[in-house]
Amino acid sequence: MKIYNTLTKQKEEFKPLKDNRVTIYTCGPTVYDFFHVGNARVFITFDVVRSYLKYRGYDVIFVQNFTDIDDKMIKRAKEEGITVKELAERFIKEYFTDADALRVKRADVHPRATEHIKEIIELIEKLIEKGYAYVVDKDVYFAARNFKDYGKLSGQNLEELEAGARVEPGEKKKDPIDFALWKAKKEGEPCWESPWGEGRPGWHIECSCMSMKYLGETIDIHGGGSDLIFPHHENEIAQSEAATGKPFARYFMHVGYLNVNNEKMSKSLGNFFTVREILKEYNPEVLRLFMLSTHYRSPINFSRELMDQARSALERLYNALYALKHLQKVTEERELNEEEREFLDRLRSLKQKFIDSMDDDFNTAEALGAIYEIVREANTNLKETSSKSLVTYTKELILELGGILGLFGDFGKEELVDEEILKLIEERQKARKEKNYALADKIRDELKEKGVILEDTPSGVRWRKIK
């Protein structure tokens, strides 16, 4: 298995620090609003990374934090006339509502910055003691130039970093490239006691602290969106390695940017979409399939047209599964003939293609291609005279591989049969027998409006509900 490491700018063979155990830390949301489709891509990507590593037999420990104190949260809480804690509780709950809908599994630990103030203070004290941090009035800053490898993740030298650095109003740092570890209290802001006076942690320190607490001083994989490479992950490396003298993470994985209709997503352009908004229009699995149809490191363009294509693709996959489910009922168990054995070999080759694709830096686009090929093979070769065991294997293989990607969660759920639907199907069958095809088509369209898809087969009509 190979992973592209942002730190070394190349694919590397994946070797966990400890045998079969894999530790992963990803940066979660700042909980001041609903998360948007760009965030969703990151959450879905690492959900699949975790799922596939488990499939390959690794014992995975996965941590994703919540940033529950920062400038945006303080501003939003003031606007709404509530406390920052109340705002955080509200949007952590909303995060789980949307993440659960997308079938993003819960992390093993979801730590919050405000619950780790003691550990954050201890880490800052260690950095001051080692000469990597300094106090100005009641603020504490990290002295970036004191860490000799500063810039190694983003690939920038100190001169480039200095040219792009900004000193915000009120900051008293000695060097433009230094960054805040602890911020002195301002009027009306939440604060905690510290050796330097009342204040709150800076953004970057929380992730170093919580990563080390739950996963150890060196972790296997650290991930997030590409926007976090600098300054967030760069600063995490500096403060963590300065404190411990050990590598902070062995592999850095970063998810590519998401554009909307070929433009950068922004509220000012009116092309900013939360997942909550999108899920009013599309099944969550459609969004998931759309995200996985492009390699995670590549930029992705979000549009209604592409989402509609993903919806059609997902429907084709579900149609194949329901067709196989039907064939299971009508086929008989028998030995495979020569042609079927060759078909089975092709399926096994496609399963290996899926694994090879995922082993190559989690290439979900090619992995999905293998699933589509399995479906094409099934549609072409399986029929009511096929062996039941071959039909069953094919269906279970599609479910197995799709399950790794978090797909097909709706398959196999109890159909909600109501009398009105059954009555309409019966009326349509009667119309077809009487060759009243206009009425039959009208009933089919009426059922489709109710979210019911009909499939006419030699064994009779089959139906299913769609979202």
Side-chain angles (χ1 to χ4, degrees), residues 399-444:
L399 289 172
E400 175 188 330
L401 302 183
I404 295 167
L405 303 180
L407 300 174
F408 311 136
D410 290 333
F411 182 73
K413 288 183 177 176
E414 282 298 314
E415 298 286 2
L416 298 174
V417 182
D418 60 55
E419 290 181 12
E420 185 185 1
I421 290 172
L422 292 176
K423 186 180 176 185
L424 285 168
I425 291 173
E426 196 175 310
E427 286 177 12
R428 178 176 176 271
Q429 290 299 89
K430 184 170 179 285
R432 280 166 59 85
K433 282 180 185 175
E434 294 171 354
K435 300 192 184 319
N436 187 349
Y437 298 116
L439 177 59
D441 290 344
K442 182 183 175 185
I443 293 171
R444 175 191 278 273

Side-chain angles (χ1 to χ4, degrees), residues 37 98 101-103 261 273-291 302-315 410 466-467:
V37 288
D98 291 340
L102 292 172
R103 297 201 177 92
N261 296 319
F273 300 108
T274 65
V275 166
R276 184 68 55 90
E277 291 168 325
I278 295 302
L279 295 190
K280 289 176 183 175
E281 299 178 53
Y282 295 95
N283 183 303
E285 276 195 18
V286 173
L287 182 59
R288 194 172 178 107
L289 180 68
F290 165 76
M291 295 295 187
F302 179 89
S303 70
R304 293 299 196 286
E305 181 185 355
L306 293 171
M307 283 289 287
D308 288 341
Q309 289 176 19
R311 178 159 53 192
S312 297
L314 184 66
E315 191 163 309
D410 290 333
I466 58 170
K467 287 187 180 180

Side-chain angles (χ1 to χ4, degrees), residues 297-354:
R297 282 192 289 114
S298 300
I300 190 169
N301 186 48
F302 179 89
S303 70
R304 293 299 196 286
E305 181 185 355
L306 293 171
M307 283 289 287
D308 288 341
Q309 289 176 19
R311 178 159 53 192
S312 297
L314 184 66
E315 191 163 309
R316 285 196 299 275
L317 293 172
Y318 267 101
N319 284 343
L321 285 169
Y322 280 105
L324 290 167
K325 184 179 179 182
H326 167 71
L327 283 178
Q328 273 186 298
K329 293 176 184 175
V330 298
T331 48
E332 295 181 359
E333 197 58 78
R334 60 167 176 77
E335 290 290 318
L336 271 60
N337 59 37
E338 182 63 30
E339 187 179 324
E340 289 172 328
R341 284 195 289 271
E342 290 175 3
F343 173 75
L344 184 59
D345 286 341
R346 290 199 298 278
L347 291 188
R348 288 171 175 158
S349 294
L350 288 169
K351 178 180 180 178
Q352 189 58 49
K353 179 183 175 182
F354 177 97

